[in-house]
Each structure stands twice: as structure tokens, then as C-alpha cells.
Amino acid sequence: DQQVKQNSPSLSVQEGRISILNCDYTNSMFDYFLWYKKYPAEGPTFLISISSIKDKNEDGRFTVFLNKSAKHLSLHIVPSQPGDSAVYFCAAPSSLMNNNAGNMLTFGGGTRLMVKP
Amino acid sequence: DTGVSQDPRHKITKRGQNVTFRCDPISEHNRLYWYRQTLGQGPEFLTYFQNEAQLEKSRLLSDRFSAERPKGSFSTLEIQRTEQGDSAMYLCASAKTGNYGYTFGSGTRLTVV
């Protein structure tokens, strides 16, 4: 049961153009979403997040859009740079059953972004 | 803040051997998580510590896996009688109470031959 899905395993864009990475979720209890970026041989690093009370959050070249009715979010990178080439994961936290103070992140399968110079 | 450290970075072991990985979280983070990532997949939750207490374990964590966090500081993940299916990247992450986001370490890549 994949609660968070990233249906595009890879995306290739030209430097300077927009990159759009998509993510769908099935659990309507999710109320917060995060995007992580991962370079080879490194752990994922936090990029940007959004609460379900918003439909957009922007941080520099990165913008995340949330469509709650469609259970869909997207990450826009404008303009794309070669250094953005990495695997991007969307994730949603859910409370751990035994301790409401903790949470686990459910990750999508990732999208590999390649930005060509 | 030196980040989350994991050791070793790479481990190659023969099937049936035991392996142990170490994670040193960010010092002020009381929460510690272990995740596993296989090729082409996102990280999958294994277990969670709040301070020294292991509060949650995934069903992915078979009896061959054990994790500890003595004194609420560093953590170890041990895999006994390794199998080829255990080959994966093992990621440790830490967080402060109240934060949704984690800080991940660089991971330990395990190859079982």
C-alpha cells in the first residue's frame, strides 16, 4: 500500500527551464508534506515543506503547490540549474501508533532530475 | 552542529555474518530514526527512539534486526545472520521534538555477498 507515490522515475530538463516534479498521496489524514533532495552517496536533505492549510509555499527558486482535493502536490524549480540534478523525494509525516509525540515519514519512490547544461 | 554521522559508510559482508552500524545524531535531538532504502525506492521506516526508549518498530524489522540507543545518545543497528535481501542503504536521522523534518546522515551502504 503505497500512500505516497511519485509516478515519474526520472525527468530531464534544460538548464534555465522549469522543472516540475509531481507527487500523489492517498491518505487524507496527511496534513503536512516535505520535499527532500538526495545526491548519490549522501543522505536526503530537507528542501521545502508545506502545511495543508496552505496551497503554496515558496523559497527562492523552489515552490511547492498543494491540491488537497486531488491529493496532489508538485515541486517547481525555476530556473533549473545543473546543480539541481539529484533524486527528489516527497514525504508525509504520520503519527506513530505507540507515541503521538513521534512521527514517521512516508516517502514516495523518488524522481531523478537531470538538468542539462 | 556537526550533523548526523554514520559509520561505516560502506560494509561488504558474507551471507550469514553479523554486522553492526553506528549513528551519532545531532546532540540536542532527542528523536532518532532508522530507515532503509533500496535501489529505486524511497526510504522505509525501520524504528524510532525517543531518548533511550525504542518506541516503534516496523514490521520490516525482523527478529534478526536489533537496535539500541544507550543513554539516549548514539545508536547502533545490528543485523544478525545477514541475507542478500538485507543489501540496502541504512539511513539514520534525528530530529527535535515538535519538528516534522529530520536531518539524515549519509547512510551506511550494506552489500551482502
Side-chain angles (χ1 to χ4, degrees), chain A residues 9 14 30 41 45 58 79 86 91 93 96 101 106:
Chain A
Q14 203 69 36
F30 288 153
T45 55
E58 190 172 354
L96 291 166
T106 300

PDB file of all heavy atoms in Angstrom, chain A residues 9 14 30 41 45 58 79 86 91 93 96 101 106:
ATOM      1  N   PRO A   9       9.728   8.254 -12.602  1.00  0.00           N
ATOM      2  CA  PRO A   9      11.015   7.899 -12.007  1.00  0.00           C
ATOM      3  C   PRO A   9      12.140   8.841 -12.425  1.00  0.00           C
ATOM      4  O   PRO A   9      13.131   8.970 -11.703  1.00  0.00           O
ATOM      5  CB  PRO A   9      11.290   6.484 -12.523  1.00  0.00           C
ATOM      6  CG  PRO A   9      10.360   6.264 -13.634  1.00  0.00           C
ATOM      7  CD  PRO A   9       9.237   7.222 -13.506  1.00  0.00           C
ATOM      8  N   GLN A  14      16.229  21.201 -19.507  1.00  0.00           N
ATOM      9  CA  GLN A  14      17.348  22.040 -19.925  1.00  0.00           C
ATOM     10  C   GLN A  14      17.607  23.094 -18.857  1.00  0.00           C
ATOM     11  O   GLN A  14      16.657  23.605 -18.224  1.00  0.00           O
ATOM     12  CB  GLN A  14      17.008  22.710 -21.254  1.00  0.00           C
ATOM     13  CG  GLN A  14      18.195  23.150 -22.073  1.00  0.00           C
ATOM     14  CD  GLN A  14      19.000  21.986 -22.631  1.00  0.00           C
ATOM     15  OE1 GLN A  14      18.448  20.954 -22.998  1.00  0.00           O
ATOM     16  NE2 GLN A  14      20.297  22.148 -22.684  1.00  0.00           N
ATOM     17  N   PHE A  30      -3.011  12.904   5.974  1.00  0.00           N
ATOM     18  CA  PHE A  30      -1.759  13.658   5.846  1.00  0.00           C
ATOM     19  C   PHE A  30      -2.071  15.149   5.828  1.00  0.00           C
ATOM     20  O   PHE A  30      -2.930  15.605   5.064  1.00  0.00           O
ATOM     21  CB  PHE A  30      -1.024  13.280   4.563  1.00  0.00           C
ATOM     22  CG  PHE A  30      -0.401  11.911   4.570  1.00  0.00           C
ATOM     23  CD1 PHE A  30      -0.214  11.220   3.383  1.00  0.00           C
ATOM     24  CD2 PHE A  30       0.027  11.318   5.751  1.00  0.00           C
ATOM     25  CE1 PHE A  30       0.364   9.957   3.369  1.00  0.00           C
ATOM     26  CE2 PHE A  30       0.608  10.059   5.752  1.00  0.00           C
ATOM     27  CZ  PHE A  30       0.773   9.379   4.558  1.00  0.00           C
ATOM     28  N   ALA A  41      25.348   8.840  -2.777  1.00  0.00           N
ATOM     29  CA  ALA A  41      26.240   8.579  -1.639  1.00  0.00           C
ATOM     30  C   ALA A  41      26.040   9.566  -0.494  1.00  0.00           C
ATOM     31  O   ALA A  41      26.899   9.686   0.384  1.00  0.00           O
ATOM     32  CB  ALA A  41      27.701   8.571  -2.061  1.00  0.00           C
ATOM     33  N   THR A  45      18.428  15.460   2.057  1.00  0.00           N
ATOM     34  CA  THR A  45      18.453  16.737   2.760  1.00  0.00           C
ATOM     35  C   THR A  45      17.122  17.452   2.529  1.00  0.00           C
ATOM     36  O   THR A  45      16.574  17.438   1.423  1.00  0.00           O
ATOM     37  CB  THR A  45      19.614  17.637   2.298  1.00  0.00           C
ATOM     38  OG1 THR A  45      19.520  17.803   0.876  1.00  0.00           O
ATOM     39  CG2 THR A  45      20.944  17.025   2.635  1.00  0.00           C
ATOM     40  N   GLU A  58       6.727  29.069  -1.071  1.00  0.00           N
ATOM     41  CA  GLU A  58       7.822  29.432  -1.971  1.00  0.00           C
ATOM     42  C   GLU A  58       9.082  29.710  -1.180  1.00  0.00           C
ATOM     43  O   GLU A  58       9.057  30.327  -0.119  1.00  0.00           O
ATOM     44  CB  GLU A  58       7.407  30.691  -2.753  1.00  0.00           C
ATOM     45  CG  GLU A  58       8.308  31.078  -3.887  1.00  0.00           C
ATOM     46  CD  GLU A  58       7.706  32.212  -4.720  1.00  0.00           C
ATOM     47  OE1 GLU A  58       6.557  32.596  -4.459  1.00  0.00           O
ATOM     48  OE2 GLU A  58       8.392  32.689  -5.622  1.00  0.00           O
ATOM     49  N   PRO A  79      14.772  29.137 -12.040  1.00  0.00           N
ATOM     50  CA  PRO A  79      15.175  28.322 -13.187  1.00  0.00           C
ATOM     51  C   PRO A  79      15.973  27.108 -12.726  1.00  0.00           C
ATOM     52  O   PRO A  79      16.642  27.147 -11.700  1.00  0.00           O
ATOM     53  CB  PRO A  79      16.078  29.289 -13.962  1.00  0.00           C
ATOM     54  CG  PRO A  79      16.684  30.156 -12.897  1.00  0.00           C
ATOM     55  CD  PRO A  79      15.647  30.296 -11.816  1.00  0.00           C
ATOM     56  N   ALA A  86      19.554  15.596  -9.064  1.00  0.00           N
ATOM     57  CA  ALA A  86      19.523  14.787  -7.848  1.00  0.00           C
ATOM     58  C   ALA A  86      18.237  13.962  -7.890  1.00  0.00           C
ATOM     59  O   ALA A  86      17.435  14.082  -8.816  1.00  0.00           O
ATOM     60  CB  ALA A  86      19.532  15.674  -6.599  1.00  0.00           C
ATOM     61  N   ALA A  91       7.462  13.454   0.894  1.00  0.00           N
ATOM     62  CA  ALA A  91       7.239  12.674   2.105  1.00  0.00           C
ATOM     63  C   ALA A  91       6.138  13.321   2.925  1.00  0.00           C
ATOM     64  O   ALA A  91       5.909  14.534   2.859  1.00  0.00           O
ATOM     65  CB  ALA A  91       8.521  12.576   2.939  1.00  0.00           C
ATOM     66  N   PRO A  93       4.465  13.107   7.027  1.00  0.00           N
ATOM     67  CA  PRO A  93       4.581  12.542   8.365  1.00  0.00           C
ATOM     68  C   PRO A  93       3.247  12.000   8.848  1.00  0.00           C
ATOM     69  O   PRO A  93       2.185  12.546   8.543  1.00  0.00           O
ATOM     70  CB  PRO A  93       5.010  13.731   9.227  1.00  0.00           C
ATOM     71  CG  PRO A  93       4.473  14.922   8.519  1.00  0.00           C
ATOM     72  CD  PRO A  93       4.334  14.574   7.068  1.00  0.00           C
ATOM     73  N   LEU A  96       3.196   7.999  14.917  1.00  0.00           N
ATOM     74  CA  LEU A  96       3.486   6.614  15.244  1.00  0.00           C
ATOM     75  C   LEU A  96       2.444   6.129  16.239  1.00  0.00           C
ATOM     76  O   LEU A  96       2.037   6.853  17.131  1.00  0.00           O
ATOM     77  CB  LEU A  96       4.893   6.498  15.819  1.00  0.00           C
ATOM     78  CG  LEU A  96       5.986   6.763  14.781  1.00  0.00           C
ATOM     79  CD1 LEU A  96       7.323   6.986  15.459  1.00  0.00           C
ATOM     80  CD2 LEU A  96       6.075   5.613  13.815  1.00  0.00           C
ATOM     81  N   ALA A 101       3.709  11.709  20.158  1.00  0.00           N
ATOM     82  CA  ALA A 101       4.706  12.765  20.052  1.00  0.00           C
ATOM     83  C   ALA A 101       5.711  12.470  18.959  1.00  0.00           C
ATOM     84  O   ALA A 101       6.479  13.325  18.573  1.00  0.00           O
ATOM     85  CB  ALA A 101       5.426  12.939  21.388  1.00  0.00           C
ATOM     86  N   THR A 106       6.584   8.947   5.571  1.00  0.00           N
ATOM     87  CA  THR A 106       6.329   8.019   4.469  1.00  0.00           C
ATOM     88  C   THR A 106       6.794   8.691   3.194  1.00  0.00           C
ATOM     89  O   THR A 106       6.328   9.789   2.873  1.00  0.00           O
ATOM     90  CB  THR A 106       4.839   7.677   4.380  1.00  0.00           C
ATOM     91  OG1 THR A 106       4.419   7.068   5.603  1.00  0.00           O
ATOM     92  CG2 THR A 106       4.586   6.725   3.225  1.00  0.00           C
TER      93      THR A 106
END
